Amino acid sequence: MPAAAEAAVSRVEDPSLMKILYCTDVEGNWDYFVAFIQVIQRDLRWNGALAFESPEQTRLILHPGYIFVFGGDVGDKGTGTLRIVKLLVQLKTDYPDRVVLIAGNRDINKMRWTSEFTETEMNLSTMDPGIKDGPHWLEPKARANMSLRSYLCKDVLGVDPNQNDCCIEEVNTKVNRMLWMLKCTMGSDGDFERRRQELAIIQRVNNASMITDDDVMDSFLSSVQPGGLMYKYLQLCVLGFYHGTTLFVHGGVMTVDKSKIMRNCLGLVPPFNSAQESYQQWVQAIDAGSQQPSHSRQNDIRLWIQQLNAWYTAQVNEWIAYPTWNKDHTFRGGENLQNYVHTNRPYSVVSGRHLERSSMPCRMTKQMTEQLWRQGLHRMIIGHTPHGNAPTVVKHVIEPDKSGVFEVIMCDTSYSDVKAKDMRGSCVSLLVVDDQERVWIQGHIAFNDGDISIDDEYGFSTADDPFVGHALETGEWIKTRLDPTRYLLCTVNAYHYTYKVVDQDFVAAHVKVHALE
């Protein structure tokens, strides 16, 4: 729909009566994104609200009465990144007031490409020392085998990186640098070849080998230049969105470190100017209890989201103005934003993680949920952290009068089926916030681990089900309702998922509703 027509529709539609369609962490998986659209098409309740305009699947249509929220991480792990980004940019352009694109870590980290392939950075003696030895945001033990030297020796030359005669200068090419960056610093190993395959699909080339390495490199690097797809996409994104009683961010509002210390980022906005105060300095000041105005919390959550989005826009503009490193690697545009999204970064709505160290769900504190509840926010919907084959609901009973239930719903299902080639298999999920502020979750689960076999279409309202979102006395999580009589339980240990199907009577007899501390 043209922008003028969209504006006319917006004037006559009551925003409070809008339904919200939500999808997140597609990560370049074209088949998954198409399956998501098909779920909407099959259910008459949603009236085909989001649909492809034609069989060519090159444009989307969003029907009046609906908002579409994409929760972040559009690309990296599939052969659909370019096509999905193009669809979302066009959708946001056509329906600017009813499409929300939330930036994820896999989106924002592409900003690095403008600064890390310059002549200075390609020179091993003058490149940024902070990244040369591997991801500086990881602990030394974790990054030990991720240095550029280690990759070029072991993966490219096939020799022991500890040998002194490993000469890497001749293989320090832009292609090998990108391969190292994708594998060791971006968590997207294999995406170089997936991009080659997608370019072949787009150009209707039968043999992907006809797409050269230079073609792939140009596709990556041009995407973050003015006019490029990721350049446009990042400009259209925000970090958070609220509508009625629902809050959306990519990762969450808390992290739990190895010492089991919980940090929450509610109300915190990082420094606007990367040159004046770094993200790391800001974190240290927050941890130290600084009372400076720039380190204080905004108590009004909706105003905080507005300020956080303003900070995001300022950081993207800073990146556009200063896309490369300065000479001594003390400043590049958007550096605070780029640091904000690294793995396990504290006080970040992008890197937030609502999981215990074991990867089982972690509840927010009573103070956090009550702050949100008092301001009329009854749920938070997030992605970022993969958590099984269906969205995971975490219910927090509001104490002391049990006046309501605050929900956190984690919707990244990119590890739905770890045995499948794409880690997803045929699982797909849709979340809808209806015009009565109720959440409906539905989709398809297909799973077979030898002990249990599931191939079910499911759907339920989180408000109507008293069990999903709680744990059993055994610690098993009540993950989803397969039908009115059967539930799926889940236990997670790191990346190992154990599922069990039980009946409603069993769940009712063993459910444990936790009191918040």
Side-chain angles (χ1 to χ4, degrees):
M1 182 184 295
E6 164 67 11
V9 170
S10 297
R11 284 195 293 271
V12 299
E13 289 186 320
D14 183 349
S16 67
L17 299 179
M18 294 277 192
K19 298 182 180 71
I20 301 176
L21 306 172
Y22 177 79
C23 179
T24 191
D25 293 88
V26 171
E27 297 183 359
N29 192 312
W30 177 259
D31 290 341
Y32 179 85
F33 189 68
V34 171
F36 167 79
I37 300 295
Q38 290 171 343
V39 172
I40 299 172
Q41 298 301 301
R42 288 196 299 266
D43 195 318
L44 296 178
R45 281 171 298 185
W46 318 131
N47 199 29
L50 183 65
F52 287 110
E53 184 181 53
S54 69
E56 286 73 29
Q57 300 179 328
T58 56
R59 196 183 193 108
L60 289 166
I61 296 173
L62 181 62
H63 289 195
Y66 287 86
I67 293 170
F68 175 65
V69 177
F70 184 78
D73 283 3
V74 67
D76 267 9
K77 293 187 176 182
T79 58
T81 296
L82 292 172
R83 289 173 289 166
I84 299 169
V85 172
K86 186 176 181 180
L87 281 170
L88 294 181
V89 167
Q90 188 64 62
L91 191 68
K92 176 66 175 175
T93 303
D94 288 346
Y95 309 96
D97 298 327
R98 295 196 291 123
V99 172
V100 179
L101 305 177
I102 294 175
N105 52 296
R106 292 185 178 278
D107 311 316
I108 294 168
N109 67 8
K110 304 306 178 290
M111 293 165 64
R112 291 173 50 199
W113 288 344
T114 62
S115 61
E116 297 186 25
F117 287 92
T118 63
E119 183 177 342
T120 299
E121 299 310 306
M122 287 303 301
N123 187 320
L124 293 170
S125 63
T126 57
M127 71 177 288
D128 173 24
I131 196 68
K132 186 176 182 178
D133 292 329
H136 57 79
W137 51 92
L138 298 181
E139 296 178 0
K141 184 178 180 180
R143 65 191 291 220
N145 297 316
M146 295 184 179
S147 71
L148 177 58
R149 174 183 171 80
S150 177
Y151 176 83
L152 294 177
C153 288
K154 185 170 58 176
D155 292 58
V156 179
L157 294 173
V159 300
D160 185 348
N162 295 316
Q163 293 180 358
N164 293 328
D165 60 351
C166 177
C167 183
I168 60 176
E169 291 285 353
E170 62 186 38
V171 292
N172 179 40
T173 64
K174 286 189 176 182
V175 169
N176 285 334
R177 185 71 69 90
M178 178 63 80
L179 289 168
W180 164 72
M181 183 181 289
L182 293 172
K183 179 179 181 179
C184 297
T185 77
M186 288 187 167
S188 51
D189 188 22
D191 208 45
F192 197 93
E193 291 306 313
R194 289 189 289 268
R195 178 59 61 91
R196 191 193 309 275
Q197 293 170 29
E198 184 173 19
L199 289 172
I201 293 170
I202 292 171
Q203 297 175 23
R204 302 182 185 276
V205 175
N206 291 330
N207 189 345
S209 64
M210 299 293 291
I211 306 298
T212 68
D213 287 354
D214 287 343
D215 293 333
V216 177
M217 281 300 299
D218 180 67
S219 175
F220 281 133
L221 298 185
S222 65
S223 72
V224 291
Q225 295 299 320
L229 275 177
M230 282 307 297
Y231 185 95
K232 293 177 182 177
Y233 186 82
L234 289 167
Q235 287 182 299
L236 293 172
C237 283
V238 294
L239 290 183
F241 173 67
Y242 56 84
H243 185 272
T245 59
T246 306
L247 174 64
F248 298 84
V249 294
H250 178 63
V253 296
M254 71 182 204
T255 55
V256 180
D257 65 19
K258 285 187 175 181
S259 302
K260 296 186 178 181
I261 296 174
M262 179 187 292
R263 292 182 173 96
N264 92 75
C265 65
L266 288 174
L268 291 174
V269 179
F272 274 70
N273 189 318
S274 301
Q276 291 181 356
E277 183 179 21
S278 71
Y279 166 81
Q280 293 90 333
Q281 291 169 332
W282 175 75
V283 168
Q284 291 170 0
I286 301 296
D287 283 345
S290 169
Q291 299 300 309
Q292 294 293 323
S294 61
H295 304 143
S296 62
R297 294 179 186 266
Q298 169 57 250
N299 291 322
D300 185 319
I301 298 301
R302 290 175 175 83
L303 182 56
W304 167 58
I305 291 296
Q306 294 173 26
Q307 293 172 346
L308 200 59
N309 289 339
W311 173 74
Y312 170 83
T313 299
Q315 282 287 292
V316 170
N317 288 338
E318 186 183 80
W319 167 63
I320 290 171
Y322 305 99
T324 60
W325 278 114
N326 64 0
K327 187 175 181 179
D328 57 2
H329 295 101
T330 57
F331 172 77
R332 60 178 169 182
E335 176 67 357
N336 280 348
L337 177 60
Q338 293 177 62
N339 273 292
Y340 185 78
V341 307
H342 289 322
T343 304
N344 295 328
R345 284 306 205 206
Y347 309 123
S348 168
V349 297
V350 179
S351 299
R353 179 179 165 90
H354 285 241
L355 298 178
E356 303 284 0
R357 299 298 296 183
S358 66
S359 292
M360 285 295 283
C362 179
R363 285 183 169 83
M364 297 163 64
T365 65
K366 178 180 178 181
Q367 180 183 9
M368 294 169 69
T369 55
E370 288 188 349
Q371 179 184 3
L372 293 162
W373 189 266
R374 284 196 306 269
Q375 297 186 35
L377 292 167
H378 296 171
R379 70 191 58 84
M380 179 170 60
I381 298 173
I382 59 179
H384 180 55
T385 307
H387 209 258
N389 52 23
T392 297
V393 182
V394 185
K395 290 183 176 177
H396 307 70
V397 178
I398 301 299
E399 302 286 359
D401 57 355
K402 296 181 172 57
S403 58
V405 174
F406 185 88
E407 298 175 333
V408 174
I409 307 177
M410 299 183 284
C411 299
D412 181 350
T413 59
S414 56
Y415 283 12
S416 293
D417 184 352
V418 295
K419 294 181 180 179
K421 184 178 180 180
D422 66 352
M423 303 289 283
R424 292 182 187 267
S426 59
C427 298
V428 63
S429 60
L430 163 69
L431 183 146
V432 180
V433 182
D434 70 17
D435 50 7
Q436 302 299 313
E437 299 286 349
R438 292 157 57 88
V439 172
W440 180 265
I441 298 174
Q442 70 183 91
H444 177 248
I445 295 178
F447 179 80
N448 189 337
D449 69 353
D451 294 324
I452 64 169
S453 179
I454 307 169
D455 192 350
D456 284 60
E457 299 284 337
Y458 69 96
F460 65 97
S461 164
T462 60
D464 293 341
D465 191 282
F467 304 124
V468 171
H470 296 293
L472 297 187
E473 296 164 343
T474 59
E476 296 164 295
W477 203 263
I478 307 170
K479 186 163 181 62
T480 198
R481 190 179 78 177
L482 297 172
D483 59 45
T485 63
R486 295 185 306 142
Y487 286 82
L488 182 67
L489 307 181
C490 180
T491 305
V492 188
N493 186 1
Y495 293 103
H496 180 72
Y497 298 82
T498 302
Y499 296 104
K500 184 189 297 184
V501 178
V502 297
D503 62 32
Q504 185 183 52
D505 291 341
F506 181 88
V507 169
H510 298 284
V511 66
K512 180 180 180 181
V513 178
H514 291 263
L516 294 176
E517 298 178 355

